[in-house]
Amino acid sequence: MMGHSHALSGAAVWLAVAPALVALPDALGHPELATMTGPILTPPELVAGAVVCAGAAMLPDLDHPNATIAQTFGPVTWLLSKGVNFVSGGHRHATHSLLFSVLTGVGAHLLGDRYAIGRDILVVLMIGLAIRAVGIGVPGKTLTSAVVNVGLTAGLFLTFMTLGVTYSWLGLAIGVGCLAHLIGDCLTERGCPVLWPIKGRWLLPWDIGIKTGKAFEKQFVGPALSIVVIALFCLRLMPA
């Protein structure tokens, strides 16, 4: 799937499942297991999580030097993408697996729990990725779009700080975003190796085979995901 589809799906999945996932330890009678999420999600944290999850939904495509994520921060992310592509075995290999989703989620949680500066850098990067993925910028103006991205990223991050957003849920959002990416790519004709390093590609369901970047994705999947995200925002943020 294309970058904006992945980002929107990440936001949609977060808004749909995050409140239930955060409440799960208490519901099971084990509140001590809530260390990766905290006891509840405030409305600003729910919104921040949706943005971070949208950015995280781009991470598996770091193995593709031509993907949106590889172009987001210029030569830095492009070179990183080339390295990941080589180490992971090419596009849609190691990074498109459940193992990668789990490792990135756990890694993000440990980083956020132990290093505040590292946590903030990761959050800023995820916000920037989300903004780039949904296409916010000036068409045909790479430098201007980059400036817009930096400004919006800084503005959102400072807004989250002002609203008292904490990031105990950061690892969960990163893991869920990567998982949303896998589900999306399993809907395409190529599928992805969910159980890597075990060989074999999964398709969900097997008879769909969405063609990446073609009319169906652009004219139906993208708009449908946008509507779902808006509807979930309204549902979650509406006063009880």
Side-chain angles (χ1 to χ4, degrees):
M1 282 189 171
M2 298 172 67
H4 66 272
S5 297
H6 283 307
L8 289 171
S9 68
V13 171
W14 174 261
L15 291 169
V17 307
L21 289 177
V22 169
L24 187 59
D26 278 334
L28 295 176
H30 296 284
E32 71 279 2
L33 299 178
T35 55
M36 285 190 69
T37 60
I40 61 171
L41 283 175
T42 65
E45 287 172 344
L46 187 65
V47 174
V51 176
V52 169
C53 198
M58 305 296 294
L59 288 176
D61 272 349
L62 194 55
D63 64 359
H64 193 331
N66 293 326
T68 301
I69 184 173
Q71 310 301 319
T72 299
F73 301 109
V76 175
T77 44
W78 184 82
L79 287 173
L80 178 60
S81 179
K82 293 287 286 186
V84 172
N85 178 273
F86 176 77
V87 172
S88 66
H91 183 46
R92 294 204 189 188
H93 284 80
T95 64
H96 286 66
S97 66
L98 290 174
L99 178 61
F100 179 81
S101 298
V102 171
L103 290 179
T104 51
V106 172
H109 171 69
L110 294 176
L111 177 68
D113 190 50
R114 299 179 182 182
Y115 305 101
I117 294 178
R119 175 202 66 203
D120 291 345
I121 291 174
L122 181 59
V123 170
V124 166
L125 291 176
M126 293 304 101
I127 295 173
L129 280 176
I131 291 172
R132 173 63 187 269
V134 298
I136 297 177
V138 181
K141 302 291 184 180
T142 303
L143 182 59
T144 305
S145 295
V147 172
V148 170
N149 186 302
V150 169
L152 289 175
T153 298
L156 273 177
F157 181 70
L158 292 174
T159 298
F160 294 153
M161 286 183 60
T162 302
L163 294 174
V165 170
T166 62
Y167 293 98
S168 56
W169 45 264
L170 181 60
L172 181 64
I174 298 293
V176 168
C178 291
L179 183 59
H181 185 111
L182 299 191
I183 295 172
D185 275 355
C186 282
L187 289 169
T188 66
E189 58 183 348
R190 290 185 60 189
C192 56
V194 174
L195 298 181
W196 184 94
I198 299 174
K199 293 184 178 181
R201 290 175 177 265
W202 285 37
L203 299 169
L204 298 174
W206 291 266
D207 60 348
I208 288 184
I210 296 173
K211 296 182 183 297
T212 301
K214 300 301 182 180
F216 179 74
E217 182 179 1
K218 292 180 178 179
Q219 298 175 13
F220 177 77
V221 175
L225 284 171
S226 299
I227 293 172
V228 169
V229 169
I230 293 172
L232 286 171
F233 262 124
C234 294
L235 177 65
R236 294 301 187 190
L237 301 179
M238 186 181 300

